[in-house]
Amino acid sequence: MTKQPRELALLAEAGRLLASVFGMLDRTALAGLSTLQVNELVEHFIVHDLQARPASKGQYGYDFVLNASVNDVVCHGVPSQSTVLRDGDIVNFDITLEKNGYIADSSKTYFVGEVKPAARRLVQTTYEAMWMGIKAVRPGARLGDIGWAIERHAKRNGYSVVREYCGHGIGREMHEEPQVLHFGKPGTGLALREGMVFTIEPMLNRGRGSVKTEADGWTVVTRDGSLSAQFEHTVAVTASGVSVLTLRPDEQGAGPMKWRALAAVG
């Protein structure tokens, strides 16, 4: 689970490239596009502009380069020509990228056009909850500290945390140890060590936390039809705390203590 300096440098490069994919999406008018069209834009950018590999394509038999989770879709939304992004939607794009044998993983929830205040608040709170978890990362801290920080922020704002899915270690493989839960008790779980690299990717629901998988075997939705949002970063434990390897262009220059001011949900 502990990466060497050379591996950390390669993971940081993969993270930098992945962040630029979101920079491209930030400049893209999403309304009117199908989620399959977005998938094709991202694949072209990763392969042709970045000379990298979309790590999700072909993983576990999945045929696409991203997950596109719209409104009540919690995660693993399959891109489709028939799913067209409309004004008022929220959509999470979860993307992985491999460069020189190392993988980075990140996701961001976008507003499509004018979004209702209730949806906007859910998205912002989910983003804040991710940063609460990131802020808990340092050598000697415990995995439970991360989950507790996330769950506490969600509950204080009236939202539920999806418990069926978690963050994970990452490196040469997309999914490595440890599992990083988004709920827990402080002071419990595995102790963090310098050189560990993993994702933090909370999913918050406006209603209950229960979910179900649709007939395609991939798409996970809220059981009660409520909205869901997610954010994700790949992070590394450093000697002094944490480094966010997938920090996006809109987040540059802002540390964890400034997350409330970040314009992260463009």
Side-chain angles (χ1 to χ4, degrees):
M1 286 187 283
T2 302
K3 305 299 190 289
Q4 299 303 311
R6 176 183 172 276
E7 294 179 291
L8 291 169
L10 291 168
L11 282 162
E13 174 62 8
R16 184 188 69 80
L17 293 176
L18 181 52
S20 74
V21 178
F22 288 96
M24 180 273 291
L25 287 174
D26 291 345
R27 300 185 297 272
T28 301
L30 296 174
L33 294 180
S34 72
T35 53
L36 184 60
Q37 286 176 303
V38 177
N39 179 85
E40 292 166 350
L41 284 172
V42 168
E43 182 168 16
H44 186 274
F45 189 78
I46 291 174
V47 173
H48 296 282
D49 292 69
L50 303 180
Q51 288 78 55
R53 182 179 72 87
S56 295
K57 190 173 184 178
Q59 181 85 356
Y60 310 125
Y62 192 69
D63 293 329
F64 305 94
V65 306
L66 56 76
N67 297 135
S69 301
V70 184
N71 295 331
D72 66 334
V73 179
V74 176
C75 61
H76 303 162
V78 178
S80 168
Q81 190 62 47
S82 63
T83 303
V84 177
L85 298 173
R86 304 295 188 190
D87 188 73
D89 287 339
I90 60 172
V91 56
N92 177 271
F93 294 120
D94 190 344
I95 307 169
T96 60
L97 179 150
E98 180 265 319
K99 183 74 172 181
N100 297 319
Y102 287 85
I103 299 171
D105 190 358
S106 186
S107 84
K108 175 177 176 177
T109 298
Y110 285 83
F111 298 143
V112 182
E114 292 297 321
V115 173
K116 292 181 179 179
R120 186 174 292 271
R121 181 173 177 269
L122 169 67
V123 172
Q124 182 64 29
T125 302
T126 306
Y127 182 69
E128 294 168 1
M130 177 192 65
W131 274 105
M132 288 290 194
I134 292 171
K135 207 170 100 173
V137 176
R138 63 184 181 281
R142 301 273 179 169
L143 284 177
D145 300 334
I146 298 172
W148 177 76
I150 291 168
E151 186 176 37
R152 179 179 63 168
H153 190 68
K155 286 185 172 180
R156 281 179 171 177
N157 285 278
Y159 301 119
S160 56
V161 175
V162 174
R163 293 186 168 221
E164 284 83 350
Y165 301 93
C166 62
H168 51 86
I170 191 167
R172 285 190 172 276
E173 300 294 333
M174 189 184 303
H175 297 110
E176 300 179 353
E177 292 297 328
Q179 292 189 358
V180 182
L181 303 182
H182 302 120
F183 58 94
K185 296 181 179 179
T188 65
L190 184 71
L192 304 183
R193 304 187 301 271
E194 182 181 356
M196 293 176 72
V197 179
F198 49 82
T199 69
I200 297 175
E201 47 183 296
M203 305 165 201
L204 270 57
N205 293 349
R206 216 178 148 225
R208 295 182 178 272
S210 57
V211 301
K212 62 181 180 180
T213 302
E214 295 194 329
D216 62 10
W218 288 104
T219 306
V220 178
V221 299
T222 58
R223 281 192 176 274
D224 59 7
S226 61
L227 290 177
S228 186
Q230 181 189 18
F231 283 89
E232 175 183 12
H233 271 314
T234 297
V235 305
V237 184
T238 67
S240 59
V242 61
S243 175
V244 181
L245 303 184
T246 48
L247 198 69
R248 297 185 292 268
D250 57 322
E251 299 171 304
Q252 296 295 330
M257 296 302 291
K258 295 174 67 178
W259 44 261
R260 284 189 184 276
L262 293 174
V265 290

PDB file of all heavy atoms in Angstrom, residues 31-53:
ATOM      1  N   ALA A  31     -25.297  21.192 -21.853  1.00  0.00           N
ATOM      2  CA  ALA A  31     -26.724  21.106 -22.180  1.00  0.00           C
ATOM      3  C   ALA A  31     -26.913  20.719 -23.645  1.00  0.00           C
ATOM      4  O   ALA A  31     -26.311  21.318 -24.546  1.00  0.00           O
ATOM      5  CB  ALA A  31     -27.403  22.437 -21.896  1.00  0.00           C
ATOM      6  N   GLY A  32     -27.733  19.709 -23.882  1.00  0.00           N
ATOM      7  CA  GLY A  32     -28.002  19.243 -25.229  1.00  0.00           C
ATOM      8  C   GLY A  32     -27.117  18.101 -25.681  1.00  0.00           C
ATOM      9  O   GLY A  32     -27.402  17.459 -26.702  1.00  0.00           O
ATOM     10  N   LEU A  33     -26.048  17.835 -24.948  1.00  0.00           N
ATOM     11  CA  LEU A  33     -25.188  16.703 -25.285  1.00  0.00           C
ATOM     12  C   LEU A  33     -25.730  15.430 -24.644  1.00  0.00           C
ATOM     13  O   LEU A  33     -26.262  15.450 -23.532  1.00  0.00           O
ATOM     14  CB  LEU A  33     -23.765  16.927 -24.782  1.00  0.00           C
ATOM     15  CG  LEU A  33     -22.948  18.052 -25.406  1.00  0.00           C
ATOM     16  CD1 LEU A  33     -21.568  18.102 -24.769  1.00  0.00           C
ATOM     17  CD2 LEU A  33     -22.825  17.878 -26.916  1.00  0.00           C
ATOM     18  N   SER A  34     -25.587  14.315 -25.342  1.00  0.00           N
ATOM     19  CA  SER A  34     -25.872  13.034 -24.713  1.00  0.00           C
ATOM     20  C   SER A  34     -24.669  12.625 -23.880  1.00  0.00           C
ATOM     21  O   SER A  34     -23.540  13.077 -24.118  1.00  0.00           O
ATOM     22  CB  SER A  34     -26.168  11.964 -25.766  1.00  0.00           C
ATOM     23  OG  SER A  34     -24.976  11.597 -26.448  1.00  0.00           O
ATOM     24  N   THR A  35     -24.903  11.756 -22.898  1.00  0.00           N
ATOM     25  CA  THR A  35     -23.770  11.304 -22.087  1.00  0.00           C
ATOM     26  C   THR A  35     -22.805  10.470 -22.921  1.00  0.00           C
ATOM     27  O   THR A  35     -21.613  10.416 -22.620  1.00  0.00           O
ATOM     28  CB  THR A  35     -24.255  10.507 -20.870  1.00  0.00           C
ATOM     29  OG1 THR A  35     -25.127   9.454 -21.291  1.00  0.00           O
ATOM     30  CG2 THR A  35     -24.993  11.423 -19.895  1.00  0.00           C
ATOM     31  N   LEU A  36     -23.285   9.839 -24.000  1.00  0.00           N
ATOM     32  CA  LEU A  36     -22.384   9.122 -24.895  1.00  0.00           C
ATOM     33  C   LEU A  36     -21.481  10.101 -25.643  1.00  0.00           C
ATOM     34  O   LEU A  36     -20.292   9.829 -25.862  1.00  0.00           O
ATOM     35  CB  LEU A  36     -23.175   8.265 -25.881  1.00  0.00           C
ATOM     36  CG  LEU A  36     -22.329   7.389 -26.812  1.00  0.00           C
ATOM     37  CD1 LEU A  36     -21.462   6.413 -26.025  1.00  0.00           C
ATOM     38  CD2 LEU A  36     -23.223   6.639 -27.800  1.00  0.00           C
ATOM     39  N   GLN A  37     -22.029  11.253 -26.054  1.00  0.00           N
ATOM     40  CA  GLN A  37     -21.193  12.266 -26.711  1.00  0.00           C
ATOM     41  C   GLN A  37     -20.106  12.772 -25.772  1.00  0.00           C
ATOM     42  O   GLN A  37     -18.965  12.985 -26.194  1.00  0.00           O
ATOM     43  CB  GLN A  37     -22.068  13.425 -27.184  1.00  0.00           C
ATOM     44  CG  GLN A  37     -22.902  13.116 -28.407  1.00  0.00           C
ATOM     45  CD  GLN A  37     -23.824  14.264 -28.788  1.00  0.00           C
ATOM     46  OE1 GLN A  37     -24.643  14.712 -27.981  1.00  0.00           O
ATOM     47  NE2 GLN A  37     -23.689  14.754 -30.016  1.00  0.00           N
ATOM     48  N   VAL A  38     -20.438  12.962 -24.498  1.00  0.00           N
ATOM     49  CA  VAL A  38     -19.432  13.382 -23.535  1.00  0.00           C
ATOM     50  C   VAL A  38     -18.357  12.303 -23.395  1.00  0.00           C
ATOM     51  O   VAL A  38     -17.156  12.588 -23.350  1.00  0.00           O
ATOM     52  CB  VAL A  38     -20.063  13.689 -22.165  1.00  0.00           C
ATOM     53  CG1 VAL A  38     -18.982  14.064 -21.151  1.00  0.00           C
ATOM     54  CG2 VAL A  38     -21.087  14.808 -22.285  1.00  0.00           C
ATOM     55  N   ASN A  39     -18.774  11.049 -23.352  1.00  0.00           N
ATOM     56  CA  ASN A  39     -17.836   9.939 -23.284  1.00  0.00           C
ATOM     57  C   ASN A  39     -16.852   9.986 -24.454  1.00  0.00           C
ATOM     58  O   ASN A  39     -15.638   9.810 -24.290  1.00  0.00           O
ATOM     59  CB  ASN A  39     -18.610   8.623 -23.300  1.00  0.00           C
ATOM     60  CG  ASN A  39     -17.716   7.401 -23.265  1.00  0.00           C
ATOM     61  OD1 ASN A  39     -17.286   6.944 -22.210  1.00  0.00           O
ATOM     62  ND2 ASN A  39     -17.433   6.839 -24.434  1.00  0.00           N
ATOM     63  N   GLU A  40     -17.379  10.257 -25.658  1.00  0.00           N
ATOM     64  CA  GLU A  40     -16.528  10.295 -26.850  1.00  0.00           C
ATOM     65  C   GLU A  40     -15.574  11.480 -26.820  1.00  0.00           C
ATOM     66  O   GLU A  40     -14.409  11.366 -27.238  1.00  0.00           O
ATOM     67  CB  GLU A  40     -17.410  10.319 -28.098  1.00  0.00           C
ATOM     68  CG  GLU A  40     -18.157   9.004 -28.308  1.00  0.00           C
ATOM     69  CD  GLU A  40     -19.272   9.101 -29.325  1.00  0.00           C
ATOM     70  OE1 GLU A  40     -19.609  10.246 -29.739  1.00  0.00           O
ATOM     71  OE2 GLU A  40     -19.832   8.047 -29.701  1.00  0.00           O
ATOM     72  N   LEU A  41     -16.040  12.631 -26.327  1.00  0.00           N
ATOM     73  CA  LEU A  41     -15.160  13.794 -26.181  1.00  0.00           C
ATOM     74  C   LEU A  41     -14.006  13.489 -25.229  1.00  0.00           C
ATOM     75  O   LEU A  41     -12.836  13.822 -25.514  1.00  0.00           O
ATOM     76  CB  LEU A  41     -15.954  14.983 -25.635  1.00  0.00           C
ATOM     77  CG  LEU A  41     -16.884  15.727 -26.580  1.00  0.00           C
ATOM     78  CD1 LEU A  41     -17.708  16.746 -25.788  1.00  0.00           C
ATOM     79  CD2 LEU A  41     -16.091  16.431 -27.673  1.00  0.00           C
ATOM     80  N   VAL A  42     -14.320  12.862 -24.112  1.00  0.00           N
ATOM     81  CA  VAL A  42     -13.299  12.552 -23.115  1.00  0.00           C
ATOM     82  C   VAL A  42     -12.311  11.516 -23.653  1.00  0.00           C
ATOM     83  O   VAL A  42     -11.105  11.648 -23.465  1.00  0.00           O
ATOM     84  CB  VAL A  42     -13.966  12.064 -21.807  1.00  0.00           C
ATOM     85  CG1 VAL A  42     -12.936  11.467 -20.855  1.00  0.00           C
ATOM     86  CG2 VAL A  42     -14.704  13.222 -21.140  1.00  0.00           C
ATOM     87  N   GLU A  43     -12.814  10.509 -24.340  1.00  0.00           N
ATOM     88  CA  GLU A  43     -11.911   9.494 -24.891  1.00  0.00           C
ATOM     89  C   GLU A  43     -10.945  10.111 -25.898  1.00  0.00           C
ATOM     90  O   GLU A  43      -9.739   9.826 -25.864  1.00  0.00           O
ATOM     91  CB  GLU A  43     -12.711   8.371 -25.556  1.00  0.00           C
ATOM     92  CG  GLU A  43     -11.817   7.274 -26.101  1.00  0.00           C
ATOM     93  CD  GLU A  43     -12.587   6.022 -26.511  1.00  0.00           C
ATOM     94  OE1 GLU A  43     -13.824   6.103 -26.652  1.00  0.00           O
ATOM     95  OE2 GLU A  43     -11.937   4.970 -26.670  1.00  0.00           O
ATOM     96  N   HIS A  44     -11.456  10.961 -26.777  1.00  0.00           N
ATOM     97  CA  HIS A  44     -10.580  11.603 -27.765  1.00  0.00           C
ATOM     98  C   HIS A  44      -9.522  12.465 -27.074  1.00  0.00           C
ATOM     99  O   HIS A  44      -8.340  12.449 -27.456  1.00  0.00           O
ATOM    100  CB  HIS A  44     -11.413  12.457 -28.723  1.00  0.00           C
ATOM    101  CG  HIS A  44     -10.610  13.035 -29.854  1.00  0.00           C
ATOM    102  ND1 HIS A  44      -9.918  14.233 -29.735  1.00  0.00           N
ATOM    103  CD2 HIS A  44     -10.358  12.562 -31.102  1.00  0.00           C
ATOM    104  CE1 HIS A  44      -9.294  14.485 -30.865  1.00  0.00           C
ATOM    105  NE2 HIS A  44      -9.537  13.503 -31.715  1.00  0.00           N
ATOM    106  N   PHE A  45      -9.919  13.198 -26.060  1.00  0.00           N
ATOM    107  CA  PHE A  45      -8.980  14.077 -25.357  1.00  0.00           C
ATOM    108  C   PHE A  45      -7.891  13.267 -24.651  1.00  0.00           C
ATOM    109  O   PHE A  45      -6.703  13.604 -24.730  1.00  0.00           O
ATOM    110  CB  PHE A  45      -9.741  14.939 -24.350  1.00  0.00           C
ATOM    111  CG  PHE A  45      -8.919  16.017 -23.715  1.00  0.00           C
ATOM    112  CD1 PHE A  45      -8.624  17.191 -24.390  1.00  0.00           C
ATOM    113  CD2 PHE A  45      -8.421  15.856 -22.430  1.00  0.00           C
ATOM    114  CE1 PHE A  45      -7.854  18.185 -23.801  1.00  0.00           C
ATOM    115  CE2 PHE A  45      -7.657  16.838 -21.823  1.00  0.00           C
ATOM    116  CZ  PHE A  45      -7.368  18.014 -22.515  1.00  0.00           C
ATOM    117  N   ILE A  46      -8.287  12.190 -23.966  1.00  0.00           N
ATOM    118  CA  ILE A  46      -7.299  11.383 -23.249  1.00  0.00           C
ATOM    119  C   ILE A  46      -6.322  10.718 -24.215  1.00  0.00           C
ATOM    120  O   ILE A  46      -5.096  10.749 -24.021  1.00  0.00           O
ATOM    121  CB  ILE A  46      -7.996  10.318 -22.381  1.00  0.00           C
ATOM    122  CG1 ILE A  46      -8.729  10.978 -21.207  1.00  0.00           C
ATOM    123  CG2 ILE A  46      -6.984   9.294 -21.842  1.00  0.00           C
ATOM    124  CD1 ILE A  46      -9.557  10.022 -20.369  1.00  0.00           C
ATOM    125  N   VAL A  47      -6.857  10.135 -25.276  1.00  0.00           N
ATOM    126  CA  VAL A  47      -6.022   9.351 -26.187  1.00  0.00           C
ATOM    127  C   VAL A  47      -5.188  10.245 -27.105  1.00  0.00           C
ATOM    128  O   VAL A  47      -3.970  10.051 -27.243  1.00  0.00           O
ATOM    129  CB  VAL A  47      -6.897   8.384 -27.017  1.00  0.00           C
ATOM    130  CG1 VAL A  47      -6.060   7.685 -28.092  1.00  0.00           C
ATOM    131  CG2 VAL A  47      -7.558   7.356 -26.105  1.00  0.00           C
ATOM    132  N   HIS A  48      -5.829  11.249 -27.720  1.00  0.00           N
ATOM    133  CA  HIS A  48      -5.158  12.031 -28.754  1.00  0.00           C
ATOM    134  C   HIS A  48      -4.440  13.264 -28.209  1.00  0.00           C
ATOM    135  O   HIS A  48      -3.342  13.585 -28.671  1.00  0.00           O
ATOM    136  CB  HIS A  48      -6.155  12.427 -29.843  1.00  0.00           C
ATOM    137  CG  HIS A  48      -6.709  11.252 -30.580  1.00  0.00           C
ATOM    138  ND1 HIS A  48      -6.015  10.580 -31.560  1.00  0.00           N
ATOM    139  CD2 HIS A  48      -7.896  10.591 -30.459  1.00  0.00           C
ATOM    140  CE1 HIS A  48      -6.734   9.581 -32.028  1.00  0.00           C
ATOM    141  NE2 HIS A  48      -7.890   9.561 -31.378  1.00  0.00           N
ATOM    142  N   ASP A  49      -5.023  13.937 -27.240  1.00  0.00           N
ATOM    143  CA  ASP A  49      -4.393  15.144 -26.705  1.00  0.00           C
ATOM    144  C   ASP A  49      -3.372  14.830 -25.612  1.00  0.00           C
ATOM    145  O   ASP A  49      -2.326  15.498 -25.529  1.00  0.00           O
ATOM    146  CB  ASP A  49      -5.453  16.097 -26.160  1.00  0.00           C
ATOM    147  CG  ASP A  49      -6.319  16.685 -27.254  1.00  0.00           C
ATOM    148  OD1 ASP A  49      -7.101  15.914 -27.853  1.00  0.00           O
ATOM    149  OD2 ASP A  49      -6.223  17.882 -27.524  1.00  0.00           O
ATOM    150  N   LEU A  50      -3.671  13.838 -24.799  1.00  0.00           N
ATOM    151  CA  LEU A  50      -2.803  13.537 -23.657  1.00  0.00           C
ATOM    152  C   LEU A  50      -1.921  12.318 -23.874  1.00  0.00           C
ATOM    153  O   LEU A  50      -1.031  12.059 -23.065  1.00  0.00           O
ATOM    154  CB  LEU A  50      -3.662  13.326 -22.396  1.00  0.00           C
ATOM    155  CG  LEU A  50      -4.573  14.489 -22.009  1.00  0.00           C
ATOM    156  CD1 LEU A  50      -5.350  14.146 -20.744  1.00  0.00           C
ATOM    157  CD2 LEU A  50      -3.777  15.775 -21.809  1.00  0.00           C
ATOM    158  N   GLN A  51      -2.142  11.579 -24.968  1.00  0.00           N
ATOM    159  CA  GLN A  51      -1.402  10.338 -25.222  1.00  0.00           C
ATOM    160  C   GLN A  51      -1.395   9.431 -23.991  1.00  0.00           C
ATOM    161  O   GLN A  51      -0.371   8.905 -23.553  1.00  0.00           O
ATOM    162  CB  GLN A  51       0.047  10.612 -25.667  1.00  0.00           C
ATOM    163  CG  GLN A  51       0.167  11.160 -27.082  1.00  0.00           C
ATOM    164  CD  GLN A  51      -0.160  12.644 -27.157  1.00  0.00           C
ATOM    165  OE1 GLN A  51       0.441  13.437 -26.430  1.00  0.00           O
ATOM    166  NE2 GLN A  51      -1.073  13.032 -28.021  1.00  0.00           N
ATOM    167  N   ALA A  52      -2.561   9.252 -23.425  1.00  0.00           N
ATOM    168  CA  ALA A  52      -2.740   8.411 -22.243  1.00  0.00           C
ATOM    169  C   ALA A  52      -3.829   7.386 -22.529  1.00  0.00           C
ATOM    170  O   ALA A  52      -4.412   7.346 -23.622  1.00  0.00           O
ATOM    171  CB  ALA A  52      -3.105   9.273 -21.038  1.00  0.00           C
ATOM    172  N   ARG A  53      -4.097   6.543 -21.544  1.00  0.00           N
ATOM    173  CA  ARG A  53      -5.095   5.492 -21.707  1.00  0.00           C
ATOM    174  C   ARG A  53      -6.270   5.718 -20.761  1.00  0.00           C
ATOM    175  O   ARG A  53      -6.060   5.924 -19.565  1.00  0.00           O
ATOM    176  CB  ARG A  53      -4.469   4.123 -21.409  1.00  0.00           C
ATOM    177  CG  ARG A  53      -5.435   2.945 -21.602  1.00  0.00           C
ATOM    178  CD  ARG A  53      -4.759   1.614 -21.309  1.00  0.00           C
ATOM    179  NE  ARG A  53      -4.510   1.412 -19.899  1.00  0.00           N
ATOM    180  CZ  ARG A  53      -5.380   0.884 -19.037  1.00  0.00           C
ATOM    181  NH1 ARG A  53      -6.590   0.528 -19.443  1.00  0.00           N
ATOM    182  NH2 ARG A  53      -5.044   0.727 -17.771  1.00  0.00           N
TER     183      ARG A  53
END
